[in-house]
C-alpha cells in the first residue's frame, strides 16, 4: 500500500514537469519542419531536446514500475506506456519519437484528476492537428508527386482528415503519409465519439437531476399535505366538530 501511495505521489508531482517537457518537445519537433533552412546546429539541438524529452518519459515509466506494488500487473495494465517507451529504440526515426511521446503524454494526462475530460479532449484535438500537420508536411514536402507543400496545406489536410470530411484537394502520396492519414482518421473518429458520449452523459445527468428534484418536491408537498390534514384533525377534535 505504501508503494502504491508512493507511485501516486510521484505521478502527481511529475505531472506538470512532464507536460512542460512535452511542450518543449513540440517546439523542438516543429522548428526543423517549419524552418527547413535552419542551421545544422539548430537541428542538432532540436534533435537532442526530442531525445531528452523521450528519455524523461521513459525514466518516468521505469520509476513508476519500480514503485508499483505488483510490477507484472503494472506492465499488463500499462502496456501502451511500455510500447511507447520501446518504440523509438527499435528504429530511430523522428516520426517514431513523435508517436511514442504523444502516447506517453496522453497516458500521463489521463491520470491527472484535475484535468477534466473536456480539457483533455480539446488538448488532444489541438495536439493531433498540430503534430499531424507537421508530420505529414515532413514526409510529403519532398515527394515528387506530393501536393502538401506548405504548413497551411498540411493544417487544412489534417483538419479535413480528422473531421472525416476529406475534400480530396490535398492528399498524401507516400506510404508513410497514408499511414499518418489512417491514424489521424481513427483518432478523429475516437475523439468525436468521446465528445458525443460526454454530451450525452451530461444531458442524462441533467435529466436525472431534474427528476430527483421533482420527486423531492412532490414528496415535500405530500408531507406538507399530511401535516395540514393532521393539524385540521387536531383542531376539529378541540372544537368537537367533525373533520371534513
Amino acid at each position: 500500500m505504501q508503494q502504491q501511495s508512493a507511485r501516486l505521489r510521484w505521478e502527481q508531482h511529475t505531472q506538470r514537469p512532464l507536460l512542460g517537457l512535452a511542450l518543449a518537445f513540440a517546439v523542438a519537433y516543429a522548428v526543423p519542419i517549419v524552418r527547413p533552412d535552419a542551421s545544422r546546429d539548430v537541428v542538432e539541438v532540436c534533435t537532442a531536446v526530442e531525445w531528452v524529452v523521450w528519455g524523461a518519459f521513459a525514466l518516468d515509466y521505469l520509476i513508476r514500475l519500480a514503485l508499483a506494488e505488483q510490477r507484472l500487473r503494472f506492465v499488463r495494465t500499462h502496456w501502451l506506456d511500455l510500447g511507447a517507451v520501446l518504440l523509438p529504440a527499435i528504429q530511430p526515426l523522428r516520426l517514431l519519437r513523435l508517436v511514442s511521446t504523444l502516447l506517453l503524454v496522453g497516458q500521463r494526462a489521463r491520470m491527472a484528476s484535475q484535468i477534466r475530460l473536456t480539457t483533455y479532449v480539446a488538448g488532444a484535438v489541438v495536439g493531433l492537428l498540430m503534430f499531424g500537420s507537421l508530420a505529414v508536411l515532413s514526409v510529403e514536402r519532398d515527394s515528387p508527386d506530393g501536393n502538401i507543400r506548405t504548413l497551411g496545406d498540411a493544417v487544412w489536410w489534417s483538419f479535413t482528415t480528422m473531421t472525416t470530411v476529406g475534400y480530396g484537394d490535398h492528399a498524401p502520396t507516400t506510404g508513410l503519409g497514408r499511414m499518418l492519414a489512417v491514424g489521424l482518421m481513427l483518432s478523429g473518429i475516437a475523439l468525436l465519439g468521446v465528445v458525443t458520449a460526454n454530451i450525452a452523459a451530461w444531458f442524462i445527468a441533467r435529466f436525472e437531476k431534474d427528476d430527483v428534484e421533482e420527486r423531492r418536491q412532490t414528496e415535500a408537498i405530500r408531507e406538507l399535505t399530511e401535516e395540514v390534514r393532521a393539524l385540521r384533525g387536531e383542531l376539529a377534535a378541540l372544537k368537537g366538530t367533525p373533520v371534513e
Side-chain angles (χ1 to χ4, degrees):
M1 201 67 177
Q2 274 186 333
Q3 285 182 317
Q4 185 177 7
S5 61
R7 181 171 65 86
L8 292 176
R9 286 197 302 271
W10 169 264
E11 290 174 352
Q12 291 173 356
H13 291 156
T14 56
Q15 185 70 39
R16 291 184 179 180
L18 286 177
L19 292 179
L21 286 175
L23 292 177
F25 177 90
V27 174
Y29 184 81
V31 167
I33 298 175
V34 177
R35 297 292 302 272
D37 56 344
S39 65
R40 183 178 180 84
D41 292 338
V42 172
V43 174
E44 289 179 352
V45 169
C46 291
T47 302
V49 171
E50 292 176 18
W51 279 113
V52 167
V53 173
W54 171 80
F57 276 95
L59 180 62
D60 170 70
Y61 175 83
L62 294 176
I63 293 175
R64 287 160 53 211
L65 175 62
L67 294 175
E69 187 175 356
Q70 299 178 1
R71 292 186 175 88
L72 289 178
R73 184 174 181 273
F74 179 86
V75 172
R76 287 197 304 269
T77 56
H78 296 76
W79 60 270
L80 194 59
D81 299 56
L82 178 61
V85 168
L86 296 178
L87 192 60
I90 299 173
Q91 179 69 33
L93 293 176
R94 293 188 72 228
L95 189 57
L96 291 182
R97 291 202 300 276
L98 167 64
V99 173
S100 66
T101 305
L102 281 176
L103 289 174
L104 290 170
V105 171
Q107 291 295 103
R108 292 295 268 114
R110 274 196 288 270
M111 295 174 188
S113 58
Q114 69 271 22
I115 297 180
R116 296 187 177 184
L117 180 61
T118 304
T119 306
Y120 175 76
V121 171
V125 169
V126 173
L128 284 172
L129 278 174
M130 180 180 67
F131 284 113
S133 303
L134 293 172
V136 78
L137 181 61
S138 67
V139 300
E140 291 291 324
R141 180 162 45 197
D142 297 328
S143 174
D145 301 325
N147 56 13
I148 302 176
R149 303 290 186 183
T150 65
L151 183 60
D153 293 340
V155 172
W156 172 249
W157 171 84
S158 296
F159 191 82
T160 56
T161 301
M162 276 195 67
T163 55
T164 65
V165 174
Y167 282 106
D169 51 348
H170 295 288
T173 57
T174 63
L176 193 55
R178 288 169 179 168
M179 289 177 60
L180 286 169
V182 171
L184 208 56
M185 285 186 283
L186 293 177
S187 301
I189 293 171
L191 287 173
L192 182 62
V194 171
V195 172
T196 304
N198 195 28
I199 294 174
W202 182 85
F203 275 110
I204 291 173
R206 183 67 183 178
F207 291 149
E208 288 180 347
K209 182 180 179 181
D210 292 342
D211 189 46
V212 169
E213 181 65 20
E214 183 178 355
R215 288 201 300 268
R216 189 188 66 81
Q217 292 178 358
T218 302
E219 182 64 22
I221 293 172
R222 189 189 64 79
E223 291 177 357
L224 183 59
T225 303
E226 292 294 333
E227 290 179 4
V228 170
R229 185 177 291 113
L231 289 173
R232 290 179 63 185
E234 293 177 3
L235 184 59
L238 291 174
K239 290 183 177 181
T241 58
V243 180
E244 295 181 2

